Amino acid sequence: MRILVIGSGAREHALLHSMSKDPQVGESDLHVAPGNAGMSELATMHPVQVDDPAACVALADEIAPDLVVIGPEVPLVAGVADALRAKGYPVFGPNKDAARIEGSKAFAKDVMAAAGVKTAHAEAIQPGASDADIDAAIDRFGPNWVVKDDGLAAGKGVVVTQDRAAARAHAADVLAAGNPVLLESFLDGPEVSLFCLVDGETVVPLQPAQDHKRVGDNDEGPNTGGMGAYAPLEWLPEGGVQRIVDEVCVPVAKEMVARGCPFQGLLYAGLAWGADGPSVVEFNCRFGDPETQAVLALLESPLAQVLHAAATGTLAEQPELQWRDGYALTVVLAAHGYPQDTRTGDVIGGAEPGREDEGVLHAGTARDEEGNIVSSGGRVLNVVGVGATLEEARERAYAVLPTLELDGSHYRTDIALPAVEGRITIPQ
């Protein structure tokens, strides 16, 4: 099975690594566009502008893939899946219409309201609103403010704060950029990320995970694209995954079919588990990063075949997914200054391609003119650890991190530690 993966981060590296183990995937069957410096042992890399539908179709015509897997949200919202499907290529990833579930938070709220799905109360502020209108809207929320950019923001377009001035400032910044702002009521309870393979009304959940968004230990500092994640969630109530599927994901999938924009790909539900169960924080229209790196480390079913089934409308015919026992965890190694003032171009030691089985995945890397692997983004590398216990998975990931050298880099030391120490509680 010849496969083209579109994207360049650790999520795509994890997808390639998992699919390389599929018995239907040969050594030369994997292609990635544009990829990064760590993927060269797994896939043939192709330079392409990922949000350019015509360029992606031209590449597919050259490769003739049996499956295209689109990793990031930007090409999905740009309609790359639509253009590829129009040429007859099976695509894992929703069309532009369905990708609005992530691309427009207002659209997602409307879908949830129609489907009867629990979520935070929300109010939109449009560009051009007066200062008085903005202040009045801000005053209708709090004491915990949740202020979101109503569009794509790579996981960093939200401010959650008890500081009214900070909430007001973020709203003003988003509006000044010409984007609507979404104010939401704060949802109490620990967060859950649940990925579901979706093919119309067929919904197949993966293992639940939890992301760590703040840059610093103890959830301090600004939000990032994600500094680490772990799976599964031992603290989730029994039957919790099925409850999310039944109360959230299936109703949303059915509502999208009813609207004429059926979802085909990966529906990511970000939730808060409160006293009354799950409530939706947001939806994404693709695999999450970094949760994917942990979740796929536990998957035993052949990933390429499963994604191909979803892309070709045969997901309902597939056997139940199989998972290895134990836990997985990923830790992000970030560049100097990330996320506020990221420095790139620093040489990385210990990051030669081919360390996937040791848990080393590349996120933001490239090669310089001398052939050195250098940092090219804020989140530079991921290290994945797998163990019989979550504590063992932590130990294995953190044992590998010292083998990687990047000047000024930083990482959180407490990924999954609250879960290991039993400090995650569900509100009563």
Side-chain angles (χ1 to χ4, degrees):
M1 187 190 302
R2 190 178 299 114
I3 301 168
L4 169 61
V5 174
I6 294 176
S8 61
R11 164 185 49 217
E12 288 75 33
H13 199 166
L15 288 164
L16 288 166
H17 181 48
S18 185
M19 289 190 288
S20 72
K21 301 175 182 179
D22 192 310
Q24 290 191 10
V25 177
E27 285 188 10
S28 60
D29 281 346
L30 291 175
H31 297 257
V32 63
N36 64 40
M39 299 178 183
S40 58
E41 296 287 312
L42 287 174
T44 302
M45 298 195 293
H46 305 267
V48 75
Q49 188 70 29
V50 299
D51 60 353
D52 183 341
C56 293
V57 168
L59 177 60
D61 288 343
E62 177 187 331
I63 296 170
D66 302 300
L67 172 66
V68 180
V69 179
I70 301 177
E73 62 275 21
V74 171
L76 291 167
V77 172
V80 170
D82 307 60
L84 288 163
R85 285 197 181 98
K87 292 295 293 288
Y89 295 110
V91 180
F92 183 82
N95 62 25
K96 183 177 182 178
D97 207 15
R100 288 182 295 162
I101 198 76
E102 177 171 0
S104 169
K105 294 175 179 63
F107 173 79
K109 289 289 185 184
D110 190 55
V111 168
M112 285 186 276
V117 171
K118 287 192 296 185
T119 186
H121 167 67
E123 184 175 330
I125 307 174
Q126 299 300 323
S130 69
D131 287 345
D133 287 342
I134 297 170
D135 284 324
I138 291 285
D139 288 340
R140 286 192 285 273
F141 290 80
N144 291 298
W145 282 271
V146 181
V147 187
K148 294 183 176 181
D149 185 333
D150 183 30
L152 297 181
K156 299 186 286 290
V158 58
V159 164
V160 181
T161 181
Q162 293 182 327
D163 184 340
R164 184 192 184 283
R168 177 66 169 80
H170 185 61
D173 288 345
V174 173
L175 292 167
N179 297 326
V181 166
L182 206 66
L183 299 175
E184 289 188 351
S185 57
F186 179 75
L187 294 175
D188 196 17
E191 291 199 4
V192 180
S193 298
L194 185 67
F195 301 165
C196 289
L197 305 170
V198 178
D199 169 16
E201 294 190 9
T202 302
V203 176
V204 177
L206 305 187
Q207 292 274 27
Q210 187 179 61
D211 184 15
H212 295 251
K213 280 288 188 188
R214 300 282 185 173
V215 71
D217 285 0
N218 303 312
D219 291 327
E220 296 179 355
N223 270 348
T224 70
M227 293 298 291
Y230 65 96
L233 308 181
E234 198 171 56
W235 50 264
L236 197 65
E238 185 176 355
V241 168
Q242 193 59 48
R243 186 171 173 188
I244 295 169
V245 170
D246 293 342
E247 296 181 12
V248 175
C249 300
V250 167
V252 164
K254 288 183 175 180
E255 175 62 22
M256 304 247 332
V257 169
R259 289 176 179 233
C261 54
F263 196 95
Q264 194 169 32
L266 195 290
L267 183 65
Y268 165 164
L271 313 111
W273 196 287
D276 296 326
S279 294
V280 175
V281 175
E282 64 179 359
F283 281 109
N284 292 329
C285 63
R286 38 69 193 187
F287 279 103
D289 185 346
E291 298 101 322
T292 297
Q293 291 84 293
V295 171
L296 292 187
L298 299 172
L299 181 66
E300 291 193 335
S301 296
L303 179 64
Q305 295 175 48
V306 172
L307 301 188
H308 186 267
T312 55
T314 60
L315 184 60
E317 303 168 18
Q318 297 301 302
E320 185 177 348
L321 294 180
Q322 299 300 307
W323 300 91
R324 66 185 289 181
D325 292 334
Y327 299 81
L329 168 140
T330 187
V331 183
V332 172
L333 182 72
H336 180 279
Y338 177 79
Q340 297 101 323
D341 188 20
T342 300
R343 187 177 75 199
T344 60
D346 289 323
V347 175
I348 308 166
E352 63 278 358
R355 294 191 67 187
E356 291 89 358
D357 287 338
E358 298 175 67
V360 179
L361 301 174
H362 286 230
T365 65
R367 288 196 184 271
D368 64 14
E369 293 179 356
E370 287 76 42
N372 299 307
I373 295 179
V374 298
S375 58
S376 64
R379 294 185 296 172
V380 182
L381 297 167
N382 275 210
V383 175
V384 179
V386 178
T389 65
L390 187 54
E391 187 171 15
E392 184 180 354
R394 265 181 53 84
E395 291 171 355
R396 290 182 174 175
Y398 281 106
V400 173
L401 277 158
T403 70
L404 303 168
E405 299 175 1
L406 175 61
D407 184 48
S409 62
H410 59 98
Y411 58 86
R412 283 185 60 159
T413 66
D414 64 346
I415 301 301
L417 190 58
V420 169
E421 296 179 345
R423 292 188 280 114
I424 297 180
T425 57
I426 292 172
Q428 300 299 312

